[in-house]
């Protein structure tokens, strides 16, 4: 999965677990960029009586590098606080919830948004902002869409923000990927063949996630307020990642005493590009990866240069990837896609999103490239320069894109003599994913979460 259960320790701490990061020029407000960081993987809609919520003891952050040094120039910080209105009931809601201030909603959550500059100065952009409740069911919340829309807050200066439950936008044939890298179109050619089932199974179709989304004018993300209009100007490119941090120590009081968090913040989870920690980083290094700032990613570069999956594919599919098997060089194409950005002139028609030679797992977005009028969910591989790996839109098929890249489809961009195996451009994670209800045309772009009453458990 993109980053849902990617490391042993963070998989035990779901409220601090980054699942996906998105960064794209807003299709309906092209003078702005939308940044989305998702947390809490695999939320079953019927999660009562303790429905999902952000952690009051977690510092959630979205980081921006706007000068190509892979360090933080802007950080958006989100802190949450949960209240209990009625201490004498076990119920999440004691009646219908018709507004964000409805007293029938027993456990509302509020948050603040703070912008921190690279020099340490900061400004609170909004506080005491209300999250929407989780989507319990049609009786409890007969107009959930209206509740969620009321939780889109205007912070002024062109900035919008939302934090709360959303429909999972990521899609993946999880069972197939981790069943010894079974690729649906070629299952009959696997070393351990099964009857072909080429359609694919979306393992996260029926779950929700918790979303932090902020939409902000482009010139508020660049260095010195520059307006990014030239796609070839490196000042148009930003690098983005999200993180979650906890205090260094927690003290638990005996009996009914409160718990105390103390000490400095310590990063426990982070995410830039999808699937890097999930599939590229070895299991023994995954927890270290989560604790590392991207500027220090040189220690992990060798795993991108020679990814394990690229060596496994020819073994698991005898005779299907002979050219990939014969290639023994460094995967400079994957380094560009995942760790440095793609220089101008490397990919046809793409002005680039290169941020410098320092390897860092950042989602890089060229903000001067306008939204596509007819988006292709294969992004750059599909000829759509507004899509992944130029940022990431909510519907981009990042699993298919990255598997095809690992299989050699992008290698000719840096190794012109390399001829990709025919299978490299045919690999598809899910042939025709059902995306109905997954997305919105406007902020926050991820769809209304599934409710517990109507959604089956499997």
């Amino acid at each position: 999965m993109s980053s849902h259960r990617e490391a042993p320790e963070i998989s035990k701490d779901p409220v601090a677990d980054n699942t996906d990061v998105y960064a794209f020029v807003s299709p309906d407000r092209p003078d702005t960029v939308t940044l989305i960081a998702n947390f809490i993987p695999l939320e079953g809609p019927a999660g009562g009586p303790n429905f999902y919520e952000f952690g009051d003891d977690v510092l959630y952050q979205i980081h921006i590098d706007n000068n190509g040094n892979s360090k933080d120039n802007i950080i958006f910080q989100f802190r949450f606080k949960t209240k209990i209105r009625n201490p004498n009931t076990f119920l999440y809601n004691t009646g219908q919830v018709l507004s964000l201030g409805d007293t029938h909603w027993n456990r509302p959550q509020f948050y603040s948004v703070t912008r921190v500059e690279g020099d340490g100065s900061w400004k609170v952009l909004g506080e005491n902002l209300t999250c929407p409740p989780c989507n319990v069911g049609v009786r409890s919340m007969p107009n959930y869409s209206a509740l969620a829309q009321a939780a889109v807050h205007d912070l002024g200066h062109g900035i919008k923000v939302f934090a709360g439950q959303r429909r999972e936008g990521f899609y993946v044939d999880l069972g197939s990927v981790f069943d010894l890298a079974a690729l649906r179109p070629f299952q009959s050619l696997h070393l351990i063949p099964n009857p072909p089932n080429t359609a694919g199974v979306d393992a996260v179709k029926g779950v929700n996630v918790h979303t932090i989304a902020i939409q902000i004018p482009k010139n508020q993300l660049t260095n010195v307020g520059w307006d990014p209009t030239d796609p070839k100007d490196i000042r148009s490119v930003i690098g983005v990642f999200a993180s979650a941090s906890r205090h260094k120590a927690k003290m638990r009081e005996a009996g009914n005493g409160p718990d105390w968090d103390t000490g400095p913040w310590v990063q426990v989870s982070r995410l830039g590009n999808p699937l890097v920690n999930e599939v590229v980083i070895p299991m023994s290094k995954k927890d270290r990866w989560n604790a590392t700032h991207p500027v220090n990613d040189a220690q992990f570069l060798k795993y991108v240069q020679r990814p394990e999956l690229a060596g496994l594919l020819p073994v698991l599919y005898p005779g299907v990837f002979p050219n990939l098997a014969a290639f023994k060089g460094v995967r400079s194409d994957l380094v560009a896609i995942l760790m440095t950005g793609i220089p101008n002139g490397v990919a046809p028609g793409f002005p680039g999103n290169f941020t410098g030679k320092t390897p860092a797992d950042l989602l890089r977005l060229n903000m001067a490239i306008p939204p596509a009028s007819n988006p292709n969910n294969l992004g750059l591989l599909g000829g759509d320069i507004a899509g992944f790996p130029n940022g990431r839109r909510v519907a981009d098929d990042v699993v298919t894109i990255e598997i095809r890249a690992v299989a050699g489809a992008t290698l000719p961009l840096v190794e012109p003599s390399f001829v990709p195996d025919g299978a490299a451009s045919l690999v598809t994670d899910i042939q025709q994913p059902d995306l109905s209800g997954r997305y919105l045309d406007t902020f926050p772009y991820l769809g209304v979460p599934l409710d517990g009453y109507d959604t089956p458990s499997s």
Side-chain angles (χ1 to χ4, degrees):
M1 302 175 71
S2 182
S3 189
H4 289 57
R5 291 181 56 81
E6 82 289 350
E9 289 305 311
I10 198 61
S11 65
K12 306 169 189 175
D13 187 10
V15 297
D17 191 355
N18 289 265
T19 66
D20 286 286
V21 175
Y22 304 92
F24 53 93
V25 177
S26 312
D28 55 325
R29 293 183 65 200
D31 61 333
T32 70
V33 163
T34 295
L35 307 173
I36 298 175
N38 286 348
F39 297 85
I40 314 179
L42 308 176
E43 294 184 7
N50 296 302
F51 287 90
Y52 301 92
E53 62 192 19
F54 293 105
D56 291 357
D57 54 352
V58 177
L59 172 63
Y60 300 94
Q61 299 186 106
I62 298 176
H63 308 249
I64 311 295
D65 165 32
N66 63 19
N67 64 5
N69 65 0
S70 301
K71 298 180 181 180
D72 300 336
N73 301 113
I74 303 168
I75 304 174
F76 295 102
Q77 296 184 337
F78 301 81
R79 294 296 313 277
F80 293 84
K81 185 176 182 180
T82 305
K83 297 181 179 180
I84 297 177
R85 288 189 168 123
N86 182 352
N88 299 314
T89 179
F90 74 91
L91 293 168
Y92 184 73
N93 56 292
T94 55
Q96 288 192 324
V97 180
L98 303 178
S99 70
L100 295 181
D102 199 316
T103 56
H104 287 136
W105 179 21
N106 191 42
R107 196 173 170 85
Q109 193 166 50
F110 305 88
Y111 66 102
S112 64
V113 184
T114 302
R115 174 172 171 147
V116 181
E117 306 296 336
D119 61 5
S121 61
W122 53 273
K123 178 182 180 181
V124 176
L125 302 181
E127 52 189 341
N128 205 34
L129 305 170
T130 310
C131 298
C134 288
N135 194 0
V136 173
V138 292
R139 289 181 182 81
S140 293
M141 295 155 191
N143 192 350
Y144 187 86
S145 294
L147 280 175
Q149 185 58 40
V152 174
H153 301 285
D154 188 341
L155 303 184
H157 305 287
I159 304 172
K160 292 182 179 180
V161 69
F162 173 91
Q165 191 179 51
R166 290 280 88 187
R167 181 83 179 268
E168 175 62 86
F170 178 58
Y171 48 99
V172 60
D173 190 350
L174 184 64
S176 182
V177 168
F178 287 108
D179 186 11
L180 293 178
L183 305 176
R184 295 284 184 180
F186 310 110
Q187 284 207 30
S188 61
L189 303 177
H190 196 284
L191 190 65
I192 309 171
N194 283 324
N197 175 3
T198 59
V201 176
D202 186 353
V204 294
K205 179 181 178 181
V207 300
N208 298 320
V209 71
H210 260 61
T211 289
I212 295 172
I214 186 166
Q215 188 175 76
I216 188 166
K218 295 176 181 178
N219 59 13
Q220 295 183 36
L221 295 174
T222 58
N223 200 358
V224 299
W226 182 74
D227 187 24
T229 57
D230 181 1
K232 294 183 179 180
D233 193 318
I234 59 173
R235 294 177 297 174
S236 298
V237 180
I238 58 172
V240 180
F241 81 101
S243 70
S245 300
R246 288 191 175 278
H247 283 290
K248 192 170 186 177
K250 177 182 283 288
M251 300 177 64
R252 300 186 186 277
E253 297 287 347
N256 294 324
D259 294 343
W260 298 96
D261 296 300
T262 186
W265 292 105
V266 177
Q267 181 178 298
V268 296
S269 179
R270 57 113 164 185
L271 177 63
N273 283 291
L275 299 167
V276 174
N277 199 8
E278 194 86 21
V279 176
V280 177
I281 305 301
M283 186 175 294
S284 63
K285 301 292 193 300
K286 289 179 180 296
D287 293 321
R288 181 193 296 180
W289 170 276
N290 269 335
T292 301
H293 192 284
V295 73
N296 298 314
D297 279 347
Q299 61 187 299
F300 305 107
L301 182 61
K302 61 184 178 181
Y303 304 117
V304 179
Q305 292 173 327
R306 290 183 170 85
E308 181 182 12
L309 182 59
L312 286 174
L313 288 177
V315 175
L316 294 173
Y317 294 89
V320 177
F321 297 99
N323 295 347
L324 182 64
F327 183 78
K328 304 303 180 183
V330 168
R331 292 299 302 271
S332 300
D333 57 324
L334 299 181
V335 172
I337 291 169
L338 300 174
M339 302 294 276
T340 65
I342 302 172
N344 179 30
V346 171
F350 181 48
N353 58 3
F354 185 65
T355 57
K357 295 182 179 180
T358 301
D361 176 34
L362 299 172
L363 195 59
R364 294 167 173 85
L365 175 66
N366 189 325
M367 297 186 291
I369 295 175
S373 57
N374 186 24
N376 186 311
N377 67 354
L378 291 180
L380 258 149
L381 283 185
D384 181 356
I385 64 173
F388 182 78
N390 181 36
R392 180 186 173 188
R393 300 167 300 195
V394 290
D396 284 345
D397 188 355
V398 293
V399 178
T400 295
I401 294 169
E402 291 197 356
I403 291 178
R404 289 186 181 184
V406 169
T410 56
L411 194 47
L413 297 176
V414 295
E415 298 283 349
S417 63
F418 179 81
V419 178
D421 299 294
S425 62
L426 299 176
V427 175
T428 300
D429 181 52
I430 302 174
Q431 281 195 337
Q432 293 181 324
D434 180 6
L435 303 181
S436 57
R438 301 284 275 265
Y439 312 112
L440 303 175
D441 293 331
T442 58
F443 185 83
Y445 302 104
L446 293 175
V448 173
L450 298 165
D451 71 79
Y453 178 79
D454 288 316
T455 308
S457 59
S458 62

